[in-house]
Amino acid sequence: MDRIQPWPAPAMRGPQLTEYIWFPVPVLSDLVEQARLYAPAETGGILVGHYTVTKPNGQRDAVVTDVIGPGPAATRSRIAFEPDTEWQTAELSRVYALRDRRVSYLGDWHTHPTGQPVPSLRDLKTLETIAAHTAARCPEPFMAILGKEGMEQDWNIAVCQHEALGRIRNIIPRTIRGF
């Protein structure tokens, strides 16, 4: 597996409900494998997991337990991808049942195989759309982006979250070993 490292997140101001987003090593491995499989085209999918209980500092963490890929009918190009939403919906239902209904949709992930893991205007609009879509039941969705500026470079990961007030803020990704 390529080494994956978090992209530096700038200091944020104001209340922060989610402090970290945790990725088990097998989940990161899956993300990198899917990124490598489709590079130099973009690919992506869904983040599934749960939140921890609120910590004494008033914050909580998100834990990604599963990632769902783009689906067999997804389309990809160097600058965009469109998921197979029917397939993803079925997979989300399967994972939800498999995890005894203790997980939920946390947001999306995708790759920037020839650039930094920085959200584009389209990415930010997607987060806004997800947050406003009542059926998603995810008013503060995450977007994880894997980026790689060159073929010999390591993958970097960055995560941002759409907050209830319409702000976008960076969340620091952490790795869980032995999950």
Side-chain angles (χ1 to χ4, degrees):
M1 177 181 101
D2 285 346
R3 198 177 76 204
I4 191 164
Q5 51 197 345
W7 189 258
M12 303 302 292
R13 295 185 182 158
Q16 296 182 7
L17 296 178
T18 305
E19 186 171 20
Y20 300 112
I21 184 166
W22 294 88
F23 291 89
V25 171
V27 169
L28 284 176
S29 296
D30 188 15
L31 289 173
V32 170
E33 284 303 311
Q34 290 199 45
R36 288 174 57 197
L37 179 65
Y38 295 106
E42 286 194 9
T43 193
I46 294 174
L47 300 171
V48 182
H50 60 85
Y51 287 96
T52 63
V53 295
T54 302
K55 300 183 280 186
N57 67 0
Q59 299 175 333
R60 62 185 180 178
D61 294 343
V63 179
V64 178
T65 58
D66 301 272
V67 292
I68 295 172
T75 58
R76 298 169 191 83
S77 73
R78 289 174 91 55
I79 59 168
F81 98 98
E82 290 295 325
D84 179 347
T85 54
E86 277 188 43
W87 181 86
Q88 286 183 330
T89 301
E91 277 297 291
L92 182 57
S93 294
R94 185 187 68 76
V95 170
Y96 183 66
L98 181 71
R99 298 279 186 190
D100 295 326
R101 301 172 15 172
R102 295 185 177 167
V103 296
S104 60
Y105 170 77
L106 295 176
D108 289 355
W109 69 270
H110 72 281
T111 62
H112 289 177
T114 57
Q116 296 179 354
V118 176
S120 66
L121 291 176
R122 181 179 182 178
D123 296 338
L124 297 176
K125 182 66 177 161
T126 298
L127 273 176
E128 185 178 316
T129 301
I130 294 166
H133 187 61
T134 312
R137 294 186 280 177
C138 189
E140 297 184 329
F142 294 99
M143 181 168 290
I145 304 171
L146 281 77
K148 186 173 182 172
E149 291 191 66
M151 295 307 285
E152 301 303 317
Q153 300 293 317
D154 292 330
W155 288 97
N156 293 304
I157 187 169
V159 182
C160 60
Q161 184 179 28
H162 183 281
E163 292 184 322
L165 299 174
R167 294 184 309 177
I168 302 293
R169 68 181 195 86
N170 293 308
I171 303 292
I172 300 171
R174 298 287 192 213
T175 304
I176 300 174
R177 302 212 181 273
F179 184 80

